[in-house]
Each structure stands twice: as C-alpha cells, then as structure tokens.
C-alpha cells in the first residue's frame, strides 16, 4: 500500500506515523510538506497528530487552509482513503471533510493516558479487522478532543453507521458527544479519530491493538 503523511508546522507525530506505516505495509511512505499543492499517487493520505501552527487561532483551523488541502479534498473525492489522527482529525473537521468540531476537553485539562475504545462499526475500511463491540487499548494525548455537532448531524452519523469508534464505558476522556472517538465521512473513505493507533503497533508499545486499523486499510485497498 502506497501512503503519504502530510506534515504541517507544529506536527509532532509524523515520525511515529511514518514508522508505523512502513512497518505494517512494508512500503516506505511519502512525507509531504504542507506547502505542496499536489499529492503523490497513493492509496492512503494521513494527517498526523501535533499542534499545527501552535493551535494559536483554533485547533487545525490554519492548517485546514493550507496549500495541500485542496489536493487532499480532491483525492478524497476520487475515493482515496484519508486518515486524520488527533490534530489530523481536527484539521479534517475544520476543512469540512468531516462534520462537526473538536472543542476543549470537558475538564479543560490536557489528557495523556490510555483509554479503552469500542468498535461501533466493524464494516468500514478502517475497522474491518476488528469485531463489532471489540474493546481495545489505545493512548490519547490532547486538549481539544471534545467532539461536538448539531443534533441533526449527530442523528445522521449514528443512523448511517458513521461512528466508527467510541470510548468504552467510563473511559471518555474529553466529554465527546455519545462517547464518539472517531467518525467517517458519508462515502466512508475519510476517517478521523482522536486516539493514536500508530503508538500501539508492536510489543515494545505494550500491546499491538492499533495494528488492525492499518491492516484494515491495507486489506481494503488490496
């Protein structure tokens, strides 16, 4: 699987993501600087975690207007899989590729710990290697992960099976609506989530629960 990781000023998880993708797919990913206006020919585009532009305006708001973003939107329109993790999720929402917003955590504190994720929909290109209802372990590290949207959009997300992952009961770290940890676009090829599966891919991490997410995409594009 050919992949690209888009790097913005302030991204800080791109090396983790590049390492994870190469380890799991066996193919060295492209690192794409945000000033580029075109993407390489890839099967998956990833927006990694971090603090693009220092989050000085609003999380992901400046990055969402970067030179590379029209190319990402065009690729998504063509069916290329797009994955946004943490700050990447925030950028996808700010760019309109996913609905809703990520607000300050309900406790107004940065959270950095492991949570339990429950697979709400195992019939997606990003979760098909999990079982529906499966609970897995994953780290989070964010101050603005409180997912919010209006009632109509929330009902549509739930009704259309576009909530891919939830925080398992009692582990919601940020107050997200309906314990939402990750959502998909209408077509199902754009997925954003706050937790960091790229940090849970080999025994050195303490567990390999995050591998199945990348293996799901690998299987989907095969």
């Amino acid at each position: 699987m050919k992949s690209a990781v888009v790097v913005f000023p302030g991204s800080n998880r791109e090396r983790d993501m590049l390492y994870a993708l190469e380890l799991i797919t066996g193919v060295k990913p492209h690192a794409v600087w945000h000033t580029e206006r075109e993407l390489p020919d890839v099967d998956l585009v990833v927006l990694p975690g971090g603090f693009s532009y220092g989050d000085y305006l609003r999380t992901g708001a400046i990055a969402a207007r970067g030179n590379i973003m029209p190319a990402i939107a065009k690729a998504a329109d063509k069916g290329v899989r797009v994955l946004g993790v943490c700050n990447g999720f925030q950028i996808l929402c700010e760019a309109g590729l996913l609905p809703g917003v990520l607000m300050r955590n309900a406790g107004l504190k940065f959270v950095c710990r492991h949570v339990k994720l429950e697979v709400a929909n195992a019939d997606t290109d990003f979760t098909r290697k999990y079982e529906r209802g499966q609970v897995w372990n994953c780290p989070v590290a964010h101050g603005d992960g409180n997912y919010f949207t209006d009632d109509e959009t929330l009902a549509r997300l739930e009704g259309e099976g576009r909530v891919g992952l939830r925080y398992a009961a009692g582990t919601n770290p940020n107050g997200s609506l309906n314990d939402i940890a990750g959502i998909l676009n209408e077509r199902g090829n754009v997925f954003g989530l706050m937790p960091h599966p790229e940090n849970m891919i080999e025994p050195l991490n303490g567990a390999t629960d995050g591998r199945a997410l990348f293996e799901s995409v690998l299987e989907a594009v095969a």
Side-chain angles (χ1 to χ4, degrees), residues 133-204:
Q134 181 177 346
V135 175
W136 53 285
N137 183 44
C138 196
V140 297
H142 57 251
D144 299 81
N146 184 354
Y147 182 77
F148 182 82
T149 191
D150 61 82
D151 291 342
E152 181 181 346
T153 303
L154 181 63
R156 196 162 64 246
L157 287 172
E158 294 285 3
E160 295 174 356
R162 290 164 55 190
V163 177
L165 295 170
R166 299 185 201 278
Y167 301 107
T171 68
N172 185 337
N174 50 44
S176 286
L177 282 176
N178 289 13
D179 295 329
I180 286 174
I183 61 169
L184 297 121
N185 68 340
E186 189 171 359
R187 185 171 179 171
N189 65 313
V190 178
F191 185 45
L193 74 163
M194 288 308 298
H196 288 271
E198 75 276 16
N199 293 142
M200 197 53 59
I201 58 164
E202 57 186 341
L204 183 63

Side-chain angles (χ1 to χ4, degrees), residues 17-221:
M17 188 62 73
L18 290 164
Y19 174 78
L21 287 169
E22 183 169 3
L23 181 71
I24 294 170
T25 69
V27 180
K28 191 176 183 64
H30 298 271
V32 177
W33 187 233
H34 69 109
T35 56
E36 298 293 331
R37 295 184 183 274
E38 294 184 3
L39 289 165
D41 178 22
V42 294
D43 306 299
L44 171 69
V45 179
V46 181
L47 283 68
F51 303 91
S52 57
Y53 294 93
D55 288 344
Y56 289 126
L57 176 61
R58 189 175 65 247
T59 51
I62 302 176
R65 287 145 185 84
N67 288 348
I68 194 62
M69 293 306 297
I72 294 174
K74 185 177 179 181
D77 283 344
K78 290 181 177 178
V80 174
R81 278 74 173 180
V82 178
L83 173 66
V85 174
C86 197
N87 193 219
F89 184 14
Q90 295 160 346
I91 294 168
L92 291 176
C93 289
E94 289 286 343
L97 293 177
L98 289 172
V101 296
L102 281 306
M103 306 190 306
R104 294 294 305 276
N105 294 342
L108 301 182
K109 292 183 178 178
F110 189 91
V111 294
C112 183
R113 63 172 182 260
H114 282 242
V115 297
K116 298 290 185 184
L117 298 177
E118 180 176 343
V119 179
N121 185 353
D123 189 25
T124 84
D125 288 352
F126 300 88
T127 58
R128 62 176 60 193
K129 299 293 282 187
Y130 295 102
E131 300 287 338
R132 187 172 187 271
Q134 181 177 346
V135 175
W136 53 285
N137 183 44
C138 196
V140 297
H142 57 251
D144 299 81
N146 184 354
Y147 182 77
F148 182 82
T149 191
D150 61 82
D151 291 342
E152 181 181 346
T153 303
L154 181 63
R156 196 162 64 246
L157 287 172
E158 294 285 3
E160 295 174 356
R162 290 164 55 190
V163 177
L165 295 170
R166 299 185 201 278
Y167 301 107
T171 68
N172 185 337
N174 50 44
S176 286
L177 282 176
N178 289 13
D179 295 329
I180 286 174
I183 61 169
L184 297 121
N185 68 340
E186 189 171 359
R187 185 171 179 171
N189 65 313
V190 178
F191 185 45
L193 74 163
M194 288 308 298
H196 288 271
E198 75 276 16
N199 293 142
M200 197 53 59
I201 58 164
E202 57 186 341
L204 183 63
N205 301 136
T208 59
D209 298 21
R211 287 188 68 102
L213 189 145
F214 299 100
E215 291 169 348
S216 294
V217 185
L218 190 60
E219 181 176 290
V221 304

